[in-house]
Amino acid sequence: MSKENDLNNKILVCGGGGFIGGHLVKRLKSEGYWVRVCDLKEHEFSKSPADEFIVGDLTDRLICNRVVDGIDQIYQLAADMGGAGYIFTGDHDAVVMHNSVTINLNILEASRLANVKKIFYSSSACIYPEYNQMDPNNPKCSEESAYPAAPDSEYGWEKLFSERLYLAYHRNYGLDVKIARFHNIFGEEGTWIGGREKAPAAICRKVAELKYGEKIDIWGDGKQTRSFLYVDDCVDCVRILMDSDFSGPVNIGSEEMISINNLALMIMNIAEKDLEINNIPGPIGVRGRNSDNTLVNAALHWKPKYSLMEGLEKTYFWILDQVISYTDQYRDKSVLPN
Ligand code: NAD
Ligand code: GDD
C-alpha cells in the first residue's frame, strides 16, 4: 500500500488520553493521519492534537460500536494499568481483569462488525512465566518462552488471554492483528504520582523531592533487575510493526538490564544529588526481567535509539518540573502531599 493511500486511513487510538497512547497520537498526527481518541479521561498533561477526542468508557459495548464507526485502523492501548504498587499487591486483581478483558472483547467484536482492517494490541512483558525470571542476572523473556504459561500477576494473565483473543479473531475472521509485548516504558508525561507510577517515575519523583543526604526508600533488596524503554523508541517500533507484514507477538523493550538500586544511583547522578538508599519491603514482582530483542531485530530491523541514561535525563527533568509545580499548587493551602 502506498503511503498516500495509507494516509487516507482513519485511525482510532483507544487509551489515547494515557501515557503511551498520548505520545502515539502526537506521532500519528505529525505523520498526517486523521485520528480519533477514546479514553475515560482527557490527557492529563497536554492538550491532545487528535481530530476527535471522545471521553467514553470502552467497557460499554455501545461506546465501542460508536468509536469504531468509519475507522480503518485501531491502536488498542486502553487498560487498567499500573506499576508494581498497583498490580502486585493483589488488591486490584478483579477490577484489572474485568475492565481490561471487557475492553478487549468489546473492541474486537465492534471491529469485526465494522470491518476494521487492522488492529494493534499492547500486551506486556508481564505475560512471561515467573519460573524463567527467578535469577535476576539471567532472566529469559524470548517470545516462545511464554508457554507453559505462568505469569506472576492477574494483570499478566489477562494480557495473555487477550493476546489469544486477538489471534483467534485473526484466524477466524481474518482481522489483521499486531501484538507487542511492552517492557516497562518510561518518559515524559507518564504517571509519576498516585500509586500507579512505575519504578523510573517513582524514583525520579523521590529523588526530586528529597534533600541531599536524606534516605530514599527503594522496595525490595534493590538487586531485582529490569530493563526500561524510552517512550519515543516504543512509539517508533509500534509504528514499524503496524506498517509491516509481521503480526507478532513481539517484544518491544530495551536489553539494557539494570538492578533497581543501580537505577536509583543513575537517577541520583543525573540529579547531582547524593542520597542514602534504604531498601524496604514492598511489592516486588519477578526477580529479574530483560527484553530479548532477537525477534524484533530480525523481523522489524528495529533497535532502541536512546540509552537508559538519555531517556532518564529527559524524564527526570520533566518530573522535577511536575514536583515543583505540584508543591507550589499545595503550598498556599499549607497541605503538602506525602
Ligand atoms: P496509561 O494508564 O497511561 O494509559 C491507559 C489509558 O487507558 C488511560 O488513559 C486510561 O484512562 C485508559 N482507560 C482505562 N480504562 C478505560 C476504559 N474502560 N475506557 C476507556 N479508556 C480506558 O498506561 P500506558 O503506560 O500508556 O499503557 C498503555 C498500554 O500499554 C496499556 O494497555 C498497558 O497495559 C500496556 N503496557 C504498558 C507498559 C508500560 O510500561 N507503560 C508495559 C506493558 C504494557
Ligand atoms: N513502582 C515502584 N515504585 N517500583 C519500585 C519502587 C517504587 O518506589 N522502588 C522499587 N521498586 C521496584 C519494584 O518493587 C519492582 O521490583 C521494580 O522496581 C519495577 O517496578 P515497576 O516499574 O513498578 O513494575 P514492573 O517492572 O515490575 O512491571 C511493570 O512493567 C511491566 C512491563 O514490563 C508494570 O508497569 C507492568 O504493568 C508492566 O506490564
Side-chain angles (χ1 to χ4, degrees), residues 80-88 123-127 152-153 155-156 159 181-185 195-203 205-206 217-220 222 224-228 260-261 263 279-280 282-287 289:
D80 208 334
M81 152 74 184
Y86 186 69
I87 60 170
F88 294 133
S123 183
S124 168
C126 286
I127 65 101
D152 74 331
S153 65
Y155 167 83
K159 288 287 188 193
R181 295 172 179 161
F182 291 160
H183 286 247
N184 211 321
I185 315 300
R196 289 181 188 244
E197 61 277 17
K198 292 173 281 109
I203 296 173
R205 186 199 69 232
K206 291 179 191 184
D217 289 343
I218 300 291
W219 300 340
Q224 70 270 39
T225 53
R226 295 290 186 277
S227 68
F228 303 96
I260 299 299
N261 275 356
L263 174 72
N279 289 115
I280 59 166
I284 309 297
V286 292
R287 282 297 290 159
R289 174 172 291 152

Side-chain angles (χ1 to χ4, degrees), residues 15-21 38-41 56-59 76-81 99 103 122-125 155 159 182-186 191 196 198:
F19 167 47
I20 304 171
C38 180
D39 200 297
L40 281 176
K41 56 167 181 63
D57 186 344
L58 293 162
T59 63
Q76 199 318 73
L77 294 106
D80 208 334
M81 152 74 184
N99 286 349
I103 294 168
S122 51
S123 183
S124 168
Y155 167 83
K159 288 287 188 193
F182 291 160
H183 286 247
N184 211 321
I185 315 300
F186 73 101
T191 304
R196 289 181 188 244
K198 292 173 281 109

Side-chain angles (χ1 to χ4, degrees), residues 263-302:
L263 174 72
L265 289 171
M266 196 181 261
I267 296 170
M268 286 182 225
N269 188 24
I270 291 167
E272 298 184 5
K273 209 184 255 189
D274 267 341
L275 301 167
E276 186 187 336
I277 291 183
N278 185 31
N279 289 115
I280 59 166
I284 309 297
V286 292
R287 282 297 290 159
R289 174 172 291 152
N290 192 13
S291 186
D292 179 330
N293 286 357
T294 312
L295 181 61
V296 75
N297 286 167
L300 301 177
H301 310 292
W302 173 86

